[in-house]
Amino acid sequence: MKGDSTSLSSKQAVLVIDDEEDLTDLLRYQLKREDFKVETVNDPFVALSVARDFAPDLIVLDVMMPDLDGYQLLRMFRSDNLLSEVPVIMLTARAGVEDRIKGLERGADDYLCKPFDAKELVLRIRSILKRVSERPKPDDGRIVLGNVSMDEEDHTVSIGGEEVPYTVTEFKLLQHFLKRKGRVQTRETLLFGVWKFDADVETRTVDVHIRRLRKKLETADLEIETVRGVGYRLVEKAR
């Protein structure tokens, strides 16, 4: 109902970035019908500034754009302190497995090939937003997920009520996973997010620490799952 500020403020915001105006017009119409707050961008060079101002809950990002493509924009989003955690669905006319992996490696949450059904896109958007809403949120410096409790201020971790010793790097790695439960993390993403290294640094460093972290999580309700050819993700253990 018009004038209901509470209703408007509760709408989830979606930013659509694509150089095809016909497509962004269509998605704007479809997403507004689904009760989303929507902003669209056709010029990739203004996408970052618009995204920072609009503060979206999710970004739909086209890959094939002139001069500045979706992969470059995604890297910029993941490096921005305001947008680094915003989920991204990538759109592309390329349907190859390598193209999908390339997007996931750079931090995309999902990948949809053109042409696509708008209803499928809406379902994927809702699914990702639901997953994001279920991520553990810090409470007075604490993250609790399953029987794992992390105190970010004291730098301590308890599993099943018992404190488990973690090195500084192991703590940062677990913290990174806890805040991104269910989301695939490539070795390159982990190197950048935990070690602050560029992607050309030795990735075996990640594998070594993942093995150590897995050992310390043996009694936890969580486990680090290997996503073949892509990286790792934190999931709840099957019961």
Side-chain angles (χ1 to χ4, degrees):
M1 184 174 68
K2 285 186 177 182
D4 187 346
S5 59
T6 302
S7 174
L8 289 173
S9 63
S10 66
K11 289 185 179 182
Q12 292 176 297
V14 177
L15 174 64
V16 181
I17 304 169
D18 195 303
D19 62 322
E20 298 179 34
E21 290 189 30
D22 289 345
L23 179 60
T24 53
D25 288 345
L26 173 63
L27 291 182
R28 179 195 292 272
Y29 172 75
Q30 293 283 359
L31 291 170
K32 282 191 172 182
R33 282 187 60 186
E34 296 293 333
D35 208 31
F36 288 103
K37 180 181 176 183
V38 185
E39 182 64 80
T40 60
V41 175
N42 299 117
D43 181 358
F45 288 99
V46 303
L48 181 62
S49 60
V50 172
R52 289 176 64 90
D53 291 339
F54 185 56
D57 295 296
L58 182 141
I59 297 171
V60 177
L61 175 62
D62 183 38
V63 172
M64 302 299 291
M65 292 184 288
D67 301 318
L68 185 63
D69 66 26
Y71 295 132
Q72 293 170 299
L73 272 176
L74 180 59
R75 186 178 182 88
M76 292 165 67
F77 294 151
R78 290 294 171 250
S79 300
D80 187 277
N81 64 326
L82 296 180
L83 303 168
S84 61
E85 298 299 316
V86 177
V88 174
I89 297 178
M90 302 200 78
L91 303 177
T92 182
R94 295 180 177 178
V97 174
E98 290 185 1
D99 295 300
R100 292 198 296 274
I101 291 176
K102 187 176 180 180
L104 292 171
E105 283 181 338
R106 284 159 174 74
D109 293 78
D110 204 350
Y111 203 95
L112 194 58
C113 295
K114 295 180 178 179
F116 59 87
D117 187 283
K119 290 182 179 179
E120 180 183 0
L121 176 61
V122 170
L123 287 174
R124 294 193 183 208
I125 288 173
R126 292 197 187 283
S127 176
I128 290 174
L129 289 175
K130 181 177 183 295
R131 189 177 73 208
V132 169
S133 71
E134 294 172 348
R135 289 179 188 166
K137 296 177 175 59
D139 181 15
D140 295 328
R142 297 182 69 84
I143 302 175
V144 179
L145 189 58
N147 65 345
V148 177
S149 176
M150 170 178 282
D151 190 317
E152 295 181 290
E153 294 183 1
D154 292 342
H155 276 244
T156 57
V157 177
S158 297
I159 299 177
E162 295 187 13
E163 188 171 323
V164 179
Y166 279 78
T167 66
V168 172
T169 302
E170 290 168 351
F171 183 91
K172 289 181 179 178
L173 186 59
L174 179 60
Q175 182 183 46
H176 187 93
F177 275 115
L178 287 172
K179 290 184 175 181
R180 296 162 180 83
K181 175 184 171 271
R183 182 168 163 182
V184 177
Q185 303 297 308
T186 66
R187 292 172 178 83
E188 290 77 13
T189 300
L190 291 169
L191 277 170
F192 182 80
V194 177
W195 285 268
K196 307 303 180 186
F197 290 166
D198 292 327
D200 58 351
V201 174
E202 181 57 68
T203 58
R204 282 183 298 179
T205 301
V206 175
D207 298 328
V208 170
H209 281 81
I210 290 290
R211 285 198 295 272
R212 293 177 183 170
L213 201 54
R214 279 174 167 162
K215 188 170 182 61
K216 292 189 175 182
L217 290 173
E218 285 179 348
T219 60
D221 294 336
L222 312 170
E223 63 182 344
I224 298 173
E225 177 183 79
T226 299
V227 181
R228 184 175 291 274
V230 182
Y232 303 98
R233 65 182 165 199
L234 185 71
V235 298
E236 294 182 26
K237 286 181 180 176
R239 295 175 183 270

